[in-house]
Amino acid sequence: MRLSWRVNCPICNKEFHIAGLGIHLAQIHEARIQDYTELDALLRKYIKEVIAPKYTGKPSPKKGKTWEELYGVERAKELKEKLRERNRRLGIFSETATGDKNVMHNPIVRAKWESVIRSEEYRKKKSEIQKALVNNPEYKQWWYKRYIEKTYGAITKVSQQLAQQGYHVIPLHHKYPVPDIIAIKDGKVYAVEVVSYPEQINPDKYKGITYYNDIFWIVYNKSGDTND
Ligand SMILES: [Zn+2]
């Protein structure tokens, strides 16, 4: 049986998904979901039964593929709109309008908004909302993913620019294969991987990586003894 995760706000009675209620309570009523025992329990249940099983630590077969690749252009468009709708409903994510759709391009609107965001009241509210968001697992996951992509993108770009200038560049963001040791001799750079068993040797790890002159796989403990 599928549980409905929809609930009503204990204060204004508006309907929400349990994952968005905490934000709503904090944003609109300056209240905490933890103070509503049943709702808090339901949220924990949601995290345990729906959110947690998704994060098993195993790489997803969908990893690295775009929605278009997975579902086709039409279906991907549908799914993206569905996701946006869901996010809007949960009140977790905001969207930025581009071009003329962005009201911030209107100087009057902009000036008004700037006076609001500089106010003490707004800052206080903002920090409260942020505190509530920090406790939301779905938001955390989204934020972390975005953070990784951003740093990865920046490091990749700077690496390319340095390489164009003739540098030997070794990016060490964890989305690149990071060896156990980097050994340098006679102007050559070697990635050294230290493993306990031959089965752990995985040359695929460096597939497409050209900035190491060679990769050394060293089996440190052939006997299989563990000296821990
Ligand atoms: Zn409410």
Side-chain angles (χ1 to χ4, degrees), residues 9-14 16 24-25 28-29:
C9 170
I11 298 170
C12 70
N13 206 37
K14 202 174 157 191
F16 287 94
H24 167 76
L25 280 169
I28 306 298
H29 306 303

Side-chain angles (χ1 to χ4, degrees), residues 23 92-93 133-134 136-144:
I23 315 277
I92 299 175
F93 312 115
L133 280 175
V134 163
N136 184 304
E138 209 170 333
Y139 176 81
K140 256 192 220 170
Q141 181 72 19
W142 170 82
W143 184 89
Y144 186 66

Side-chain angles (χ1 to χ4, degrees), residues 36-48:
Y36 297 90
T37 319
E38 273 176 42
L39 292 169
D40 190 45
L42 187 65
L43 177 60
R44 282 164 197 280
K45 196 174 155 70
Y46 176 72
I47 293 166
K48 198 174 151 205

